[in-house]
Amino acid sequence: HVEIALAPTDILVAGFEYNREDYEDTYITDTNNTPFVLNRTSLAPFAENRWNPSQRWTIIAGVRFDDIITGSLPADVGVRPLLPASNIAQANPRGAVSYLLRQGGSQATWGATQLHASGGSGIRPPDGFELGFTDNPHLEPERSITSDAGIEQRWFGDKLVGNATYFYNSFRDQIVTLGGIFTNLSTFTSANLNNSRAQGVELSFHAQPLRSLEISGQYTWMGTEILALDGTLQAESPYQVGQPLIRRPRNAGSYEINWHRGRF
C-alpha cells in the first residue's frame, strides 16, 4: 500500500490485496468419485482517507472493493449439478471518528479523554465445503455489519490507559442447509437464509507503573443470539431462536506482563 499526504492534516492510504486459494477435499468429488481442486482468486483494491480537521477531531472514511472469482465445480454422483464459474463483486465501506473531549498534561493525574466510534461492512464468500455440498448455483456471500462506540481515558501522565467499548455486530445471509419443515423455503438444498447477531462490551487497560514494567489486559462480555430463518419464525434445527451462538464465549479475557532490565 502507499500513503499520500494530500495536506498536512489529510492523508490518503491506498492499496491492493491479492489472494489465491486452492481447495481440495476427499469428500468432494466429481462423477467419477475423483477429488478435484477448486480454485479461487480474490482481488481487493482499497482506499482510506484520514483527516484531522482540528487537534480534537480525527475522521477516517474508506472503502474496500472485493472481487472474488471462483472456478467451476463439476457435477458429482449426488445432487450437485455442474456449478459454473462465478464472480462476486462487492464494495464494503468503513468509517471511524474520534473526538478528544479533554486534553491532559504530560504529568496530569487525570489525563486526556477521547471518544471514538466506527462502523463498516464485510462479506464471507461460500467456502469449498459449502460449494461442494450444494445444488445452488446462486449461493451468495454471507454479510456482516459491525459498529462500535467507546471512550478512552488516560491517567498519571499516560502511565495508565483504560478503554471501554460497546459493539454490535449483525450477520445476515448466512448459509444454511435446508431439510424437513424448511424444505419449502428454497428450491435448493442450501441457501442464504440464516441470521444472527452479537453485542457486548470490551474493557482494556495498559499500565506502566515502572519504566521496566508494563501490564496490559482485556475483558470482553459478549451476548449472541440466533435469529429466525428468512421466511419463518424458527431457527435451523437443532437450534432455537434466541439461543446463543456456539463457540462464542460469553466471557473472555487475557493479560500480559512485560518486564525488562538492561538487555534482559
Side-chain angles (χ1 to χ4, degrees):
H1 73 277
V2 296
E3 295 187 11
I4 303 173
L6 303 178
T9 59
D10 195 359
I11 297 177
L12 176 66
V13 180
F16 182 82
E17 183 177 308
Y18 170 85
N19 286 292
R20 169 73 179 192
E21 174 186 328
D22 291 316
Y23 180 87
E24 185 176 12
D25 193 316
T26 55
Y27 289 98
I28 301 176
T29 60
D30 57 21
T31 52
N32 298 318
N33 279 325
T34 303
F36 59 91
V37 176
L38 173 64
N39 60 77
R40 169 175 288 163
T41 301
S42 299
L43 310 174
F46 60 88
E48 182 178 87
N49 186 251
R50 303 171 182 172
W51 182 40
N52 296 98
S54 70
Q55 291 184 345
R56 292 182 179 269
W57 285 97
T58 299
I59 301 174
I60 300 174
V63 63
R64 173 189 171 105
F65 186 83
D66 289 286
D67 187 13
I68 303 170
I69 306 164
T70 305
S72 62
L73 281 80
D76 66 359
V77 295
V79 300
R80 188 184 72 240
L82 169 66
L83 298 182
S86 63
N87 178 259
I88 297 172
Q90 174 75 43
N92 293 297
R94 184 163 186 82
V97 60
S98 64
Y99 177 69
L100 187 61
L101 185 65
R102 181 183 184 277
Q103 292 181 324
S106 59
Q107 301 300 322
T109 300
W110 190 271
T113 304
Q114 188 172 50
L115 305 178
H116 57 84
S118 68
S121 65
I123 61 172
R124 186 192 73 84
D127 60 32
F129 191 83
E130 291 164 333
L131 290 173
F133 288 96
T134 187
D135 59 350
N136 188 347
H138 309 295
L139 210 56
E140 296 290 328
E142 298 181 341
R143 307 179 189 278
S144 64
I145 299 176
T146 63
S147 59
D148 63 73
I151 182 171
E152 178 188 271
Q153 180 62 54
R154 296 172 177 264
W155 295 275
F156 309 113
D158 296 346
K159 288 185 174 60
L160 175 61
V161 181
N163 191 87
T165 301
Y166 167 79
F167 61 88
Y168 182 91
N169 302 328
S170 175
F171 308 103
R172 315 294 297 181
D173 298 333
Q174 292 178 304
I175 298 169
V176 60
T177 300
L178 301 172
I181 62 174
F182 301 123
T183 303
N184 62 345
L185 292 180
S186 174
T187 57
F188 303 108
T189 57
S190 63
N192 300 88
L193 299 175
N194 203 22
N195 309 288
S196 60
R197 63 188 175 197
Q199 60 180 326
V201 176
E202 183 177 79
L203 307 174
S204 64
F205 77 93
H206 179 271
Q208 190 171 8
L210 304 172
R211 292 185 61 182
S212 59
L213 179 64
E214 294 183 53
I215 305 172
S216 60
Q218 70 89 23
Y219 165 77
T220 301
W221 177 89
M222 180 169 60
T224 62
E225 186 177 5
I226 295 174
L227 304 178
L229 297 176
D230 293 341
T232 180
L233 298 178
Q234 296 176 282
E236 177 193 13
S237 178
Y239 306 110
Q240 297 180 354
V241 174
Q243 182 178 342
L245 293 169
I246 61 173
R247 296 188 294 274
R248 298 292 191 277
R250 180 175 290 269
N251 298 279
S254 65
Y255 68 91
E256 182 175 317
I257 300 175
N258 291 312
W259 177 79
H260 61 88
R261 181 177 178 83
R263 296 184 179 182
F264 179 71

